[in-house]
Amino acid sequence: MNAPGTAPVSDRRSPVTRLLVFGGIALILSGMLLGEVFAIFISHAASAQIRREWIGSMIPAIEQRDLAAASTDYGRIEELLERRGRIMDTHSHLIAYGFLAIVLALLQPLNKYSERVRLALALCIVAGGLIQSVSVFVSYWTTPPVRDAILIASAAGGTLVLVGVLGTIAGLRGISSRSNFNAQTSRLLSSASSQILLRIGALLILAGMVFGFYYAWVFVTQHEPQQISLLHSALQAAVSRNNTAATSSITAHRSLQSKIAIVTAAHSHVIEMGTMAVLLGFVQNFVLLSDRWKRRWAILFCIGGGVMPICTYSASIFGLVPAGFADTFGIMSIIALFAMLCGLVRQTGADELGYAP
Amino acid sequence: MSSWQRTLTAAALWLIATGIVVGLGHAAAVRYNTLPVLQSRVYWTAAELALQNDAQQAIEVAENKSYTLTRIVDAHTHIIKLATVLLLVALVYPLINLPEKRKRTLSIALLTGICVFPLGVVAEIYVRGRSAQAIAAAGAMLVILAFAGLIWGLLRGSAARL
């Protein structure tokens, strides 16, 4: 067992910490890339197709009271929504598990368990997160009974992550109050790039919280009741064979659903980019790049992370042009994150060769 | 690490574990279907019932199910995300340049808000009306104010170090 809380700085470069930091950033990077691919190539086309299905097939089928035709049309809509749901779930879970892995990496010096046990717990987090997310993603392209097996694997992945978290809680129990952990944390955050990421990240999280509070009020008082009332109007109009009114209501319903999805994405992305910035602030010491380049990547990440959610929100008002900007700024953050990951790999190599700073 | 930091860290990890359990339980309960599909099925049920000339009942069913699904998924995501923020606060706690008593008060408020907010969101399923919404809003407001106070201390601290 470690002497709790007294691990030297070099312990932060132990295999367990490396696995969690490297695994965490890799999970986040994969999640961000998937999000970009979804936003650029899939989301808009799928939304337009769902709207076409509703207007071109569903409404006429309801008007004709043709349940069989309506069922077939609905099957196509559900297929599109299924793909969206699986990709979005994979995107958000990969990133959330990445965050968890990096935070747990920072707590490793306080874990009283042996390196072997900590390595097993770290594997639970990284492998569990990967298994859960990949299973959710792959399940879309499979059919029963393979699909059932994959969904069980997804649950098993989630359970592994839970085991990793509970094991870490147990490992942190009874640690000494007198430790140099805080001094090490201060040292980790002492560089200019860390300070930039820490400050901007904290402010982004706060901005996301305030925006979320505002939007929750709008959602509960306006958007949620509107959704149902538009659906009601559409169904009433379809049943009474008023095609124009039904089409207009269903178009408004689809637009509102898109708006809710976009605004919710803006809210969650601000907080996620903020959280990521703070976490990256902690790992700057692991990044083997010059201070000047670390600062540049930190600034690039913060610009991308700060502007991307604003553009995402603007897309709910102005349409596709700001959405394109959101994608561009998202890519900026991904490039910065990838650069930091390269620095991490260099640091690992330098550690192994024995000339790490 | 101080004992209060340890408490915050343990609380955050327990909240994350709770969020994961909620997620696993919900996923199993809805047979691993995703939120867009579940909500769409709710609307499809409404359309089917409308075909049988019972649009009003259809809308009520759709409204209730959509409302419940949204809140469960919201509670799951918010517990985990806010717990991650709490973990970050626990890590930077010594860098927050505020009197110890104020820091502790703010972090207690943050922890309380993080627990109350998702509970309020879940309560909205069972208690319709403003009371559960008010609890969720109070929790969220507590989180925002406490976090703003802690950030203020953090920025002061980092300005002092530069």
Side-chain angles (χ1 to χ4, degrees):
Chain A
M1 280 190 185
N2 289 335
T6 56
V9 173
S10 60
D11 190 58
R12 290 181 181 275
R13 291 169 186 163
S14 75
V16 183
T17 310
R18 275 187 205 164
L19 172 67
L20 286 168
V21 171
F22 194 83
I25 292 188
L27 285 171
I28 292 171
L29 200 54
S30 315
M32 286 174 80
L33 276 170
L34 186 64
E36 282 288 340
V37 170
F38 175 75
I40 296 171
F41 300 108
I42 300 170
S43 174
H44 309 304
S47 290
Q49 201 178 335
I50 290 171
R51 191 177 306 190
R52 278 197 302 273
E53 292 288 350
W54 264 101
I55 293 168
S57 311
M58 282 287 273
I59 295 284
I62 291 172
E63 275 176 357
Q64 302 299 319
R65 296 178 184 273
D66 184 351
L67 196 60
S71 293
T72 312
D73 301 329
Y74 173 71
R76 285 199 295 271
I77 293 174
E78 189 171 297
E79 174 86 6
L80 292 164
L81 290 169
E82 169 77 356
R83 186 178 61 180
R84 168 190 286 179
R86 296 284 167 204
I87 294 175
M88 292 315 293
D89 273 8
T90 308
H91 161 67
S92 59
H93 282 92
L94 277 171
I95 293 175
Y97 290 134
F99 287 170
L100 184 62
I102 297 178
V103 175
L104 294 184
L106 298 170
L107 292 172
Q108 286 309 302
L110 296 171
N111 196 322
K112 67 184 176 195
Y113 288 147
S114 67
E115 181 130 324
R116 211 169 147 186
V117 176
R118 288 190 292 130
L119 192 61
L121 292 173
L123 269 173
C124 281
I125 299 287
V126 177
L130 194 63
I131 290 168
Q132 200 267 348
S133 309
V134 171
S135 302
V136 168
F137 186 72
V138 171
S139 64
Y140 171 73
W141 284 275
T142 55
T143 49
V146 177
R147 187 191 176 111
D148 297 339
I150 285 174
L151 290 173
I152 290 169
S154 153
T159 309
L160 271 178
V161 175
L162 184 64
V163 168
V165 172
L166 293 175
T168 306
I169 293 172
L172 294 176
R173 283 184 69 178
I175 51 169
S176 163
S177 294
R178 280 185 245 156
S179 72
N180 59 355
F181 179 78
N182 288 343
Q184 287 178 24
T185 305
S186 302
R187 212 173 309 145
L188 280 180
L189 291 169
S190 60
S191 69
S193 55
S194 294
Q195 285 295 313
I196 291 166
L197 288 162
L198 180 66
R199 287 167 168 213
I200 303 289
L203 290 171
L204 283 176
I205 294 172
L206 183 62
M209 284 177 175
V210 173
F211 179 70
F213 189 82
Y214 156 74
Y215 183 64
W217 176 72
V218 173
F219 179 77
V220 168
T221 57
Q222 295 171 31
H223 287 176
E224 196 172 38
Q226 256 175 35
Q227 269 192 108
I228 298 296
S229 109
L230 284 168
L231 183 68
H232 188 222
S233 313
L235 290 178
Q236 290 281 25
V239 167
S240 56
R241 296 173 190 256
N242 183 349
N243 187 286
T244 316
T247 303
S248 144
S249 294
I250 215 65
T251 305
H253 182 255
R254 287 296 315 152
S255 299
L256 183 60
Q257 282 202 312
S258 292
K259 186 170 188 167
I260 291 169
I262 292 169
V263 178
T264 309
H267 157 62
S268 63
H269 281 109
V270 185
I271 296 181
E272 276 166 7
M273 293 311 256
T275 307
M276 211 181 308
V278 175
L279 287 172
L280 290 173
F282 277 101
V283 300
Q284 290 300 296
N285 263 17
F286 297 92
V287 176
L288 185 55
L289 294 173
S290 70
D291 284 344
R292 198 167 61 171
W293 273 104
K294 279 202 277 192
R295 204 165 52 241
R296 283 175 183 167
W297 292 125
I299 291 169
L300 188 73
F301 183 86
C302 290
I303 292 172
V307 181
M308 185 264 276
I310 295 172
C311 294
T312 305
Y313 177 71
S314 305
S316 73
I317 303 165
F318 302 111
L320 280 177
V321 175
F325 282 116
D327 297 337
T328 309
F329 283 101
I331 289 170
M332 272 170 66
S333 293
I334 290 177
I335 292 169
L337 191 61
F338 183 72
M340 290 178 199
L341 188 66
C342 290
L344 278 170
V345 174
R346 288 182 72 195
Q347 176 75 57
T348 307
D351 282 344
E352 279 170 6
L353 291 170
Y355 58 81
Chain B
M1 188 178 239
S2 69
S3 62
W4 183 241
Q5 269 179 286
R6 279 187 344 228
T7 307
L8 288 176
T9 306
L13 288 172
W14 276 115
L15 281 166
I16 288 176
T18 308
I20 294 172
V21 170
V22 170
L24 284 170
H26 174 68
V30 298
R31 295 169 181 265
Y32 302 95
N33 284 301
T34 58
L35 185 61
V37 168
L38 290 168
Q39 282 191 318
S40 159
R41 280 186 190 160
V42 165
Y43 298 143
W44 168 237
T45 308
E48 267 187 323
L49 285 170
L51 282 176
Q52 295 155 18
N53 277 335
D54 197 357
Q56 190 53 45
Q57 188 198 342
I59 295 305
E60 278 170 20
V61 170
E63 190 172 13
N64 281 331
K65 286 197 176 171
S66 176
Y67 187 90
T68 303
L69 289 168
T70 307
R71 270 141 192 88
I72 292 175
V73 174
D74 271 5
H76 160 63
T77 55
H78 281 95
I79 293 172
I80 294 177
K81 284 185 183 176
L82 289 173
T84 308
V85 172
L86 184 65
L87 265 176
L88 294 178
V89 167
L91 285 167
V92 299
Y93 193 79
L95 310 181
I96 297 169
N97 190 10
L98 290 173
E100 184 58 35
K101 198 177 164 186
R102 193 171 302 166
K103 264 202 299 192
R104 190 173 282 226
T105 309
L106 286 170
S107 51
I108 290 171
L110 181 67
L111 178 56
T112 309
I114 289 173
C115 294
V116 169
F117 173 50
L119 284 175
V121 171
V122 173
E124 285 178 23
I125 299 169
Y126 304 101
V127 186
R128 294 296 172 92
R130 295 285 176 215
S131 55
Q133 286 176 353
I135 292 172
M141 185 51 84
L142 209 54
V143 169
I144 291 171
L145 293 176
F147 190 66
L150 290 164
I151 284 185
W152 166 244
L154 185 69
L155 293 179
R156 268 181 25 159
S158 68
R161 279 192 303 280
L162 287 175

